[in-house]
Amino acid sequence: MTQLEAAKKGIITEQMKKVANDENKDEKYILSKIKEGKIVIPANINHKNLSPKGIGEGLTTKVNVNLGSSKDKEDFEFELKKLEIALKYGTDAVMDLSTGENLDELRKLIIEKSPVPVGTVPIYEAAILAVRKYGFIGKMSKQLLFETIEAHCEDGVDFITVHCGVTLNSIERIKKEGRITNVVSRGGSFLVEWMIYNNKENPLYEYFDELLKIAKKYDVTLSLGDGLRPGCLKDATDRGQIYELITLGELTQIAWDNGVQVMIEGPGHIPIDEIEMNIKLEKSLCHGAPFYVLGPVVTDIAPGYDHITAAIGGAIAAWHGADFLCYVTPAEHLRLPDIEDVKEGLIATKIAAHAGDIGKKIPGAIDKDILMAIARRNLDWKKQIELSLDPEKAKKYRESLLSKDEDACSMCGEFCAIKKVRDYFSSK
Amino acid sequence: MTQLEAAKKGIITEQMKKVANDENKDEKYILSKIKEGKIVIPANINHKNLSPKGIGEGLTTKVNVNLGSSKDKEDFEFELKKLEIALKYGTDAVMDLSTGENLDELRKLIIEKSPVPVGTVPIYEAAILAVRKYGFIGKMSKQLLFETIEAHCEDGVDFITVHCGVTLNSIERIKKEGRITNVVSRGGSFLVEWMIYNNKENPLYEYFDELLKIAKKYDVTLSLGDGLRPGCLKDATDRGQIYELITLGELTQIAWDNGVQVMIEGPGHIPIDEIEMNIKLEKSLCHGAPFYVLGPVVTDIAPGYDHITAAIGGAIAAWHGADFLCYVTPAEHLRLPDIEDVKEGLIATKIAAHAGDIGKKIPGAIDKDILMAIARRNLDWKKQIELSLDPEKAKKYRESLLSKDEDACSMCGEFCAIKKVRDYFSSK
């Protein structure tokens, strides 16, 4: 029985109890929101060491870290080191986006070592197998695609990205309207290539019922991918993107009717003034299904700093209702991330999620900020460092240039505003 | 004659022409907005090598970099190196916030070497001189304070922060309501200390007419400081802050009547959902005077990453109408910034300003993003690096892990979405 089927029957599962406890919510609240499809708990029955997380309405905004090898760089130790860093700095989920040679082995290792939900994009592996077997993605058989998907599910993957909304109709919308960057989703481009070559509908759309059967069997949450997301600000919120979203909304209801949990993936590259609208549109068209956004970045001109452009967009998105933020690292648009990039990207995304949670008034979200403010008022440096998102970095900064005055700081030295007026104001 | 007086007389100055040209605006637009007080051009008659900048309605959002020594770290070369980096990465202004021993010398050097407007906070020097002379800030004479202000103006400082809104009435509001962090503005705390000790009104408020005379003589723009800005999210938008803002609005109109240009300084620490309201409140209470905000940071728990927390707040502020963003570095709340911190802080702030400009539909703001999108579509790496806010960093990333496929990138290697579908879509 999936979490959604259990919820429909009024059964509170162990996973629901765990989420209710983590989020300081009533178990009945979690159950009712899962029943409505507004909360998901990605929890594959085969992911044995999983500590489940809830994603959706009323819960804290979650963050995801992408891992994964490529043909150019396939190093299991390196990927597991990234996983370790991601867990250390508090990621809520990881996705294995490998496109290397032995990606099935790496996937099994990551699932084994990850207590947080693991996601994958099975079409990457299907495409690689198709190239290996037939020399060309266009020749991928439907059977190969679905067997690969089932293999991921059997391994214990908790959520899979499936680009079911990349249809003949939706790519026609893009072709007619015109775009600068066309298709920038890797999975999306595989499917477009396949559809053009075969002049056939996307098998993930056409055989959605078969996909549902597999997902249901293992309780894998479908993360309906935005294969047609805009690849630059100028392409944002166009007919192709919104047509795909409409399709994803229709598929969401079919999945719910079949007891399968669903999230919706979102862009990408969006001007700052269109983010709120994009979030509200998803919530409306997809009936409140959790929204998983990639960034969004709010400018295209800052490669090397896209963890910052994405933190700006992600914070606004989370505030307006996005439930799950995919991290973006400083290496985005330039190369695969290294360990330091993973850390920087994760912390920037956690800042965005937290700022958003304060904005959407998640109960208790601001508590740690209040404790930090009190520690600052008291010039309690030990506590300030302890409360920091990255205590090591804060400590390193603090220690690198100590003031002569131990309880003040080097910023103001003897002219410390806090000390000067502390006695006058009776502080709360 | 100040820029404001000239505008009132319908005279288009050289500075207005330069700003109109830089911003691709009609000279008459600039003149009319200066006349209304909605644009300022900080341009001290004694800042000989100044290349003036406009700040305000309809113009691109400007960014400021803080420099300055402290008693613990007084190194002129280090400060001038910071200035050099700030200019290299395109700051629109610098403020010298020195509190070291020989800060007058350093100030003169910075003005001499800076083609961008220079700001200072004269009360820092006045306080230091008072301590040197009388051992205590409380004993600072009104004469010493105003002489110091005049010295800064005579040296060629283009804008000065004066905390005129820190009044007996406004600090009473804070005491009654209660705050966690009380007063965190250094200048604000000096004045509070002085006012409590002397049981007298703030001389910058009481003798505002004398301040106006000095500012008018050199055409120094008054940056009316927010000495009572909140020091944490929890204290944001409280009675003390808004009472001070009301006072600053009143003083703005008096300054305008006397031909003196004015900006308003704003917070600070604000929850993400209160930023828009804070900007609109300033625009209303201060009759459209340019708003110069410090951040705002949107969470208190990320020391070491406050360039990111401030970029989130700054982008939203700029989008909703803030005209001038003061940078925040990763070192904020921990120590004085080093060279790398200055660069990281400036670029994060430029990202925020640019994202905001796209949001507020500044004509042409998105053009560079469109060029970048085209370069990405064309896999033109040379152009992508050239268009980057920090080409050196982008190049370093790109080169550190080159794909075997020269015109693709290591992120996707052979599975490049852009290449896969390029032929199908007839790109615009």
Side-chain angles (χ1 to χ4, degrees):
Chain A
M1 202 171 1
T2 67
Q3 298 295 326
L4 175 52
E5 287 173 305
K8 283 179 181 175
K9 290 187 180 154
I11 299 165
I12 294 172
T13 64
E14 287 308 308
Q15 290 81 1
M16 294 180 204
K17 283 181 193 167
K18 162 77 167 49
V19 168
N21 186 56
D22 284 357
E23 306 267 352
N24 205 17
K25 294 276 184 206
D26 195 90
E27 290 169 2
K28 282 180 194 156
Y29 172 85
I30 303 297
L31 179 134
S32 75
K33 290 294 168 187
I34 291 175
K35 193 174 155 189
E36 289 180 70
K38 292 178 179 170
I39 287 179
V40 295
I41 303 180
N44 188 315
I45 55 166
N46 287 346
H47 189 176
K48 299 301 179 194
N49 61 329
L50 176 70
S51 176
K53 300 262 184 179
I55 299 167
E57 196 178 297
L59 308 184
T60 57
T61 306
K62 304 301 184 296
V63 302
N64 174 71
V65 159
N66 290 335
L67 312 171
S69 62
S70 71
K71 208 175 155 186
D72 292 340
K73 186 160 178 69
E74 188 161 35
D75 176 346
F76 285 11
E77 253 180 67
F78 180 66
E79 296 307 319
L80 293 176
K81 179 78 191 159
K82 284 197 220 161
L83 172 63
E84 194 188 313
I85 287 289
L87 294 172
K88 176 179 172 184
Y89 287 98
T91 195
D92 298 298
V94 295
M95 286 190 81
D96 174 16
L97 306 185
S98 291
T99 56
E101 290 293 322
N102 300 299
L103 54 76
D104 49 340
E105 272 179 60
L106 181 56
R107 177 174 67 247
K108 287 178 174 68
L109 266 175
I110 288 173
I111 294 167
E112 190 192 310
K113 292 188 182 298
S114 173
V116 297
V118 175
T120 60
V121 191
I123 197 159
Y124 292 176
E125 188 176 15
I128 289 160
L129 294 173
V131 169
R132 207 179 283 165
K133 211 164 164 182
Y134 314 111
F136 174 48
I137 289 166
K139 294 188 179 169
M140 174 180 70
S141 67
K142 178 215 144 195
Q143 196 190 348
L144 175 64
L145 176 57
F146 279 74
E147 276 174 8
T148 309
I149 292 171
E150 177 133 20
H152 283 232
C153 295
E154 206 178 338
D155 283 347
V157 166
D158 303 290
F159 59 103
I160 54 171
T161 295
V162 275
H163 305 89
C164 306
V166 179
T167 60
L168 290 170
N169 253 323
S170 59
I171 62 175
E172 185 66 18
R173 301 284 80 68
I174 289 177
K175 201 173 160 83
K176 277 195 176 159
E177 187 172 11
R179 261 190 182 182
I180 298 175
T181 54
N182 301 317
V183 176
V184 295
S185 153
R186 196 156 46 171
S189 74
F190 292 158
L191 288 163
V192 170
E193 202 179 10
W194 190 94
M195 289 156 73
I196 297 166
Y197 177 76
N198 296 287
N199 194 26
K200 272 191 185 168
E201 190 51 276
N202 175 356
L204 295 173
Y205 177 77
E206 197 171 354
Y207 305 101
F208 190 63
D209 55 332
E210 293 184 33
L211 193 57
L212 292 177
K213 274 182 205 149
I214 300 170
K216 191 172 168 175
K217 188 169 161 192
Y218 304 93
D219 197 4
V220 167
T221 299
L222 296 185
S223 191
L224 296 178
D226 54 340
L228 303 181
R229 66 174 172 270
C232 66
L233 295 197
K234 189 65 171 64
D235 291 341
T237 327
D238 70 351
R239 297 202 292 267
Q241 180 199 324
I242 306 307
Y243 191 99
E244 180 183 46
L245 188 63
I246 290 171
T247 307
L248 299 185
E250 285 176 357
L251 298 176
T252 296
Q253 287 194 291
I254 297 170
W256 287 347
D257 289 344
N258 285 275
V260 172
Q261 301 190 91
V262 175
M263 297 188 284
I264 306 295
E265 294 186 13
H269 295 239
I270 315 183
I272 197 167
D273 57 316
E274 293 182 14
I275 297 172
E276 179 180 358
M277 174 254 284
N278 266 275
I279 306 297
K280 290 185 172 163
L281 194 56
E282 184 276 343
K283 292 289 177 184
S284 181
L285 289 174
C286 301
H287 295 221
F291 201 17
Y292 175 25
V293 298
L294 218 168
V297 302
V298 293
T299 170
D300 296 324
I301 64 166
Y305 298 86
D306 274 324
H307 59 313
I308 297 178
T309 65
I312 295 171
I316 298 171
W319 163 30
H320 290 296
D323 306 283
F324 191 21
L325 304 180
C326 186
Y327 91 155
V328 173
T329 80
E332 185 73 23
H333 300 109
L334 293 167
R335 67 157 201 223
L336 282 176
D338 66 17
I339 304 291
E340 191 58 25
D341 294 325
V342 168
K343 184 191 150 186
E344 291 286 312
L346 173 54
I347 290 184
T349 311
K350 281 182 72 86
I351 288 170
H354 181 69
D357 284 347
I358 291 170
K360 62 184 167 190
K361 313 282 185 204
I362 297 285
I366 205 176
D367 290 358
K368 213 176 149 190
D369 296 72
I370 292 173
L371 291 175
M372 178 68 90
I374 293 168
R376 282 186 172 144
R377 197 251 332 273
N378 296 339
L379 298 168
D380 182 344
W381 286 96
K382 198 167 156 264
K383 195 85 194 160
Q384 286 179 54
I385 286 165
E386 205 178 292
L387 287 165
S388 297
L389 267 184
D390 180 359
E392 280 167 46
K393 189 172 181 188
K395 194 159 183 268
K396 216 178 104 201
Y397 263 98
R398 164 83 182 147
E399 285 175 351
S400 65
L401 197 66
L402 268 182
S403 170
K404 282 162 193 158
D405 187 350
E406 279 251 326
D407 68 343
C409 74
S410 69
M411 292 197 78
C412 303
E414 66 182 311
F415 299 110
C416 171
I418 287 174
K419 282 167 97 176
K420 293 217 157 293
V421 301
R422 202 159 33 171
D423 295 337
Y424 174 70
F425 294 99
S426 54
S427 297
K428 268 198 171 172
Chain B
M1 202 171 3
T2 67
Q3 299 293 326
L4 176 52
E5 287 174 305
K8 282 180 181 173
K9 290 184 179 155
I11 299 165
I12 294 172
T13 64
E14 286 309 308
Q15 289 81 0
M16 293 178 205
K17 283 181 194 168
K18 162 77 167 53
V19 168
N21 187 56
D22 285 357
E23 306 267 352
N24 205 17
K25 293 276 184 208
D26 196 89
E27 290 170 1
K28 281 181 194 153
Y29 173 84
I30 303 296
L31 180 135
S32 76
K33 289 295 168 188
I34 291 176
K35 193 174 156 188
E36 289 179 69
K38 291 178 181 171
I39 287 179
V40 295
I41 302 181
N44 188 314
I45 55 167
N46 288 345
H47 189 176
K48 299 302 180 193
N49 62 330
L50 176 70
S51 176
K53 300 263 184 178
I55 300 167
E57 195 177 297
L59 308 184
T60 57
T61 306
K62 304 301 184 296
V63 301
N64 174 72
V65 159
N66 290 335
L67 312 171
S69 62
S70 72
K71 208 174 153 188
D72 292 340
K73 184 157 180 71
E74 189 161 35
D75 176 346
F76 285 11
E77 253 179 67
F78 181 66
E79 297 307 319
L80 293 176
K81 179 78 191 160
K82 283 196 220 162
L83 171 63
E84 194 188 312
I85 287 289
L87 294 172
K88 176 179 171 183
Y89 287 98
T91 194
D92 298 298
V94 294
M95 288 192 79
D96 174 15
L97 305 185
S98 291
T99 56
E101 290 293 322
N102 301 299
L103 53 79
D104 49 341
E105 273 179 59
L106 180 57
R107 176 174 68 246
K108 287 177 174 73
L109 266 175
I110 288 173
I111 294 167
E112 191 191 308
K113 291 187 184 296
S114 173
V116 298
V118 175
T120 60
V121 191
I123 196 157
Y124 293 176
E125 188 176 14
I128 289 161
L129 293 173
V131 169
R132 208 179 282 164
K133 210 165 166 183
Y134 314 110
F136 174 50
I137 288 166
K139 292 189 178 166
M140 172 181 71
S141 67
K142 178 215 144 193
Q143 196 190 349
L144 175 64
L145 175 58
F146 279 75
E147 277 174 6
T148 309
I149 291 172
E150 178 134 20
H152 282 233
C153 295
E154 206 177 340
D155 283 346
V157 166
D158 302 291
F159 58 103
I160 54 172
T161 296
V162 275
H163 305 89
C164 306
V166 179
T167 60
L168 291 170
N169 252 324
S170 59
I171 62 175
E172 184 67 17
R173 302 282 79 69
I174 290 177
K175 203 175 158 82
K176 276 196 177 161
E177 187 171 11
R179 261 189 181 183
I180 298 176
T181 55
N182 300 316
V183 176
V184 294
S185 152
R186 196 155 46 170
S189 74
F190 292 159
L191 288 162
V192 170
E193 201 178 10
W194 190 94
M195 288 155 73
I196 297 166
Y197 177 75
N198 295 288
N199 193 25
K200 272 191 184 167
E201 190 51 277
N202 174 356
L204 295 174
Y205 177 78
E206 197 171 354
Y207 304 102
F208 190 63
D209 56 331
E210 294 185 31
L211 194 56
L212 291 177
K213 273 183 205 147
I214 301 169
K216 191 172 169 175
K217 188 168 161 193
Y218 304 93
D219 197 6
V220 167
T221 299
L222 295 184
S223 190
L224 297 178
D226 54 337
L228 303 181
R229 67 174 171 271
C232 66
L233 296 197
K234 190 65 173 63
D235 290 342
T237 326
D238 70 352
R239 296 202 293 266
Q241 181 199 323
I242 305 308
Y243 192 99
E244 180 183 45
L245 188 64
I246 289 171
T247 307
L248 299 184
E250 286 176 357
L251 298 177
T252 296
Q253 287 195 292
I254 297 170
W256 286 346
D257 289 344
N258 285 275
V260 172
Q261 301 190 91
V262 175
M263 297 188 283
I264 306 294
E265 294 184 14
H269 296 238
I270 316 183
I272 196 167
D273 58 314
E274 292 182 14
I275 296 173
E276 179 180 358
M277 174 254 284
N278 266 275
I279 306 298
K280 290 185 172 164
L281 194 57
E282 184 276 344
K283 291 288 176 184
S284 181
L285 289 174
C286 301
H287 294 222
F291 201 18
Y292 176 25
V293 297
L294 217 168
V297 301
V298 293
T299 171
D300 296 324
I301 64 166
Y305 298 86
D306 275 325
H307 58 314
I308 298 179
T309 65
I312 295 170
I316 298 171
W319 163 29
H320 290 296
D323 306 283
F324 191 20
L325 304 181
C326 185
Y327 91 155
V328 174
T329 81
E332 185 74 23
H333 299 108
L334 293 167
R335 66 157 200 221
L336 282 176
D338 66 17
I339 303 292
E340 191 57 24
D341 294 324
V342 168
K343 184 192 149 184
E344 291 286 312
L346 172 55
I347 290 185
T349 311
K350 281 183 73 83
I351 288 169
H354 181 69
D357 284 347
I358 291 170
K360 63 184 169 190
K361 313 284 185 202
I362 296 286
I366 205 177
D367 290 358
K368 215 177 149 190
D369 296 73
I370 292 173
L371 292 176
M372 178 67 90
I374 293 168
R376 282 186 173 144
R377 196 251 332 270
N378 296 339
L379 298 168
D380 181 344
W381 286 96
K382 198 167 155 262
K383 196 83 194 162
Q384 286 179 53
I385 285 164
E386 204 179 292
L387 288 164
S388 297
L389 267 184
D390 180 359
E392 281 168 47
K393 189 172 183 189
K395 195 158 182 269
K396 216 177 104 199
Y397 263 97
R398 165 83 181 148
E399 285 175 352
S400 65
L401 198 65
L402 267 183
S403 170
K404 283 160 195 158
D405 186 352
E406 276 251 326
D407 68 342
C409 75
S410 70
M411 291 197 79
C412 302
E414 65 183 312
F415 298 110
C416 172
I418 287 175
K419 283 167 95 176
K420 293 214 159 294
V421 302
R422 203 160 33 172
D423 296 335
Y424 174 70
F425 294 101
S426 55
S427 296
K428 268 198 170 170

